[in-house]
Amino acid sequence: MPPPFLGAILDLDGLLESHGQPVPEAAEAFNELSRRGVILRILSNGALRSRRSAAQALRQGGFHLLDEQLYTISYITAAYLREVGARSAWVMTGGAGLDDFTGFRLTQDDPEYIVVGEYRQGFTFANLNHALRLLKRGAKLVGMDPELLDYTFGEPELNPGAWTVMLERASGVPAVYLGKPAPYCFELTLRSMSLRRSRVVMIGDQPGTDILGAKNAAIASILIRTGEYHLKPPPADLQPDYTFDRLPEILPLFAPAHSSM
Ligand SMILES: [Mg+2]
């Protein structure tokens, strides 16, 4: 038997939320882990939401949590830009995710960094060519989400990673990727937990991001057969440490609530 886990990093879409709606039984499992004193973080590649907006949506769905437990890719990217001392950036993203970038000089005129997030209708011929020319003139390239395809609504859609790869290939400027399965998002999240890696587990529905990222970060992983699992089952060389059908089944892997202390 492995030691009980003391911390968990949970994926958001397809695990705690389904098609953008909080999942009640996931909220119950999350709140139970909280009651047991498990240190919980939520790690999401979704660029359209800020740390705060994602936390608010979960709270409305019955999750008991603080904004600080959310590691959305917008928050993570802003932390990265702060860490590297970025002076200016063109953050190609929309929605509330942009709120996490307050304090930066956001500009399309000669920015130091081109940050590719979820720009949706903003990914126009004109904008992409402008980004290409800025990269050719020396701007650095950051990809928020490395994933190429998104299956949130059933049919495949181009994900931010696809646009980033295109700019990378066309400009010859290599991108720094920050979202799952890239190491930066895991390192930032783990740093905030102050636990030994052997006591932390990643829980998600996607082998290519959640499980691969956990393996790269040297933490254990649990695959839940919800969300995109059925669209992208794990390849033979990417097996999680545990697999369950539903999130509440993970509870025995965590110590029961302390009776004293
Ligand atoms: Mg997911």
Side-chain angles (χ1 to χ4, degrees):
M1 271 293 286
F5 295 112
L6 302 178
I9 303 173
L10 298 107
D11 175 41
L12 178 55
D13 186 52
L15 185 73
L16 306 184
E17 287 183 350
S18 174
H19 302 286
Q21 295 302 314
V23 177
E25 75 169 17
E28 281 168 35
F30 183 94
N31 295 341
E32 171 59 22
L33 290 174
S34 255
R35 261 195 300 277
R36 297 188 193 181
V38 178
I39 295 177
L40 299 170
R41 299 288 183 267
I42 296 165
L43 181 56
S44 168
N45 274 1
L48 289 171
R49 297 198 292 176
S50 65
R51 169 180 249 187
R52 167 174 282 187
S53 68
Q56 276 171 345
L58 287 171
R59 279 195 290 268
Q60 278 166 10
F63 287 80
H64 302 157
L65 49 76
L66 301 171
D67 291 2
E68 289 69 26
Q69 289 174 274
L70 268 289
Y71 281 73
T72 56
I73 192 57
S74 301
Y75 173 81
I76 289 162
T77 305
Y80 173 82
L81 292 177
R82 240 172 262 126
E83 204 169 288
V84 296
R87 293 183 300 276
S88 59
W90 178 12
V91 181
M92 303 176 85
T93 204
L98 214 48
D99 295 346
D100 282 326
F101 294 90
T102 46
F104 287 100
R105 192 166 75 81
L106 301 180
T107 175
Q108 296 185 20
D109 301 327
D110 207 24
E112 190 183 2
Y113 284 84
I114 306 274
V115 177
V116 183
E118 187 52 278
Y119 216 18
R120 299 264 160 180
Q121 269 63 31
F123 286 125
T124 61
F125 189 64
N127 276 337
L128 289 163
N129 276 323
H130 184 51
L132 171 73
R133 288 166 199 149
L134 291 167
L135 291 165
K136 286 279 197 192
R137 290 208 296 267
K140 299 177 188 113
L141 183 59
V142 170
M144 290 169 77
D145 177 359
E147 292 173 272
L148 302 176
L149 297 178
D150 178 50
Y151 288 89
T152 301
F153 297 103
E155 291 291 311
E157 288 183 342
L158 287 172
N159 221 46
W163 305 106
T164 319
V165 168
M166 187 181 73
L167 286 171
E168 208 175 4
R169 292 276 309 275
S171 68
V173 176
V176 173
Y177 290 95
L178 303 177
K180 295 180 285 185
Y184 184 80
C185 63
F186 284 90
E187 296 307 318
L188 190 75
T189 308
L190 283 164
R191 226 184 288 161
S192 76
M193 299 172 82
S194 302
L195 289 172
R196 295 228 308 272
R197 282 175 200 244
S198 59
R199 294 304 191 98
V200 179
V201 64
M202 172 77 208
I203 308 165
D205 65 319
Q206 279 199 57
T209 52
D210 303 316
I211 307 307
L212 178 60
K215 284 187 186 298
N216 291 342
I219 59 174
S221 58
I222 303 174
L223 186 64
I224 309 290
R225 296 190 189 96
T226 55
E228 295 193 15
Y229 172 83
H230 296 288
L231 294 161
K232 298 186 223 165
D237 59 348
L238 193 54
Q239 292 297 320
D241 296 287
Y242 307 89
T243 304
F244 298 109
D245 286 324
R246 295 167 41 232
L247 189 61
E249 294 172 47
I250 66 171
L251 292 172
L253 295 173
F254 298 82
H258 295 293
S259 46
S260 57
M261 268 173 72

